[in-house]
Amino acid sequence: LAGDGTPGSKCLIARNPTAITSGQLTLATGPVTGDTAGGGGGQVAGGSRCTVIPDSQLKVIPGTGGMKLITAAADNFIRMRADAARAGVTIALDSAYRTPQRGEEIWVEHRCRVGNGCRGAVCAVNGPAAVPCSLGCGSNHQTGVAIDVTYSGRAVEWVTANGGPYGFVHDPNWNADLHHFSQTGR
């Protein structure tokens, strides 16, 4: 990610859900402009960087209380969760796809402010939060490819060690959010 976190600064985020395929995963990145993030959708109050993925591109993950990811990422998560279960590990989620509006709600709930660019959020409560798209950044949760694994048992450890082939990795340089996984880890 790049940018200084001010409105209009440039950040690069994962943005093309059609680039994800089952098995081998690919990633397309680039600046989010217009209504391109997630393949289209409605613009929200945050501006042209903030788009909503249409429901037709999202899939509910069974057993998560209605959490969604883009279809290919959801299918990969379901496979990963089943493989983890065969290894005796239960993977539950704290978060998956978030609309830009929900990202902003979390920003406010956590009482955050921009610290050092897009990855430099400083939050008063509840740990880290992504700098919202309305401030020029955003989260891979908004693109439908990121998950936050519940801290329980060996789940985070298992996904850290085994999630790569399913498209869920953790960025080792981002220790503030150890339960966050996506194609890039960001």
Side-chain angles (χ1 to χ4, degrees), residues 1-184:
L1 294 171
D4 64 8
T6 59
S9 68
K10 303 292 182 195
C11 288
L12 300 179
I13 61 172
R15 69 159 178 90
N16 187 352
T18 58
I20 297 178
T21 58
S22 296
Q24 285 290 26
L25 295 166
T26 58
L27 175 68
T29 59
V32 176
T33 58
D35 274 351
T36 59
Q43 189 172 352
V44 297
S48 63
R49 292 180 176 274
C50 300
T51 60
V52 177
I53 296 176
D55 279 339
S56 64
Q57 294 182 22
L58 295 168
K59 180 176 183 174
V60 173
I61 304 166
T64 63
M67 290 185 200
K68 301 175 184 179
L69 291 170
I70 60 167
T71 301
D75 291 342
N76 287 331
F77 174 79
I78 292 164
R79 276 190 317 109
M80 179 177 73
R81 183 176 58 185
D83 289 347
R86 282 190 280 282
V89 176
T90 300
I91 299 175
L93 296 180
D94 285 335
S95 185
Y97 170 69
R98 294 183 201 141
T99 64
Q101 178 180 353
R102 180 64 188 135
E104 295 211 8
E105 291 168 357
I106 291 169
W107 182 259
V108 171
E109 289 167 7
H110 290 207
R111 297 195 324 255
C112 300
R113 64 180 170 77
V114 176
N116 184 23
C118 290
R119 292 184 71 190
V122 178
C123 302
V125 296
N126 298 329
V131 178
C133 57
S134 62
L135 294 178
C137 297
S139 165
N140 278 345
H141 286 285
Q142 181 184 325
T143 65
V145 299
I147 58 173
D148 288 344
V149 174
T150 302
Y151 286 108
S152 63
R154 299 180 304 140
V156 170
E157 177 184 304
W158 193 93
V159 177
T160 299
N162 301 289
Y166 306 94
F168 297 105
V169 298
H170 174 74
D171 180 349
N173 297 313
W174 186 237
N175 290 326
D177 202 3
L178 293 174
H179 73 297
H180 176 86
F181 299 89
S182 69
Q183 289 180 302
T184 64

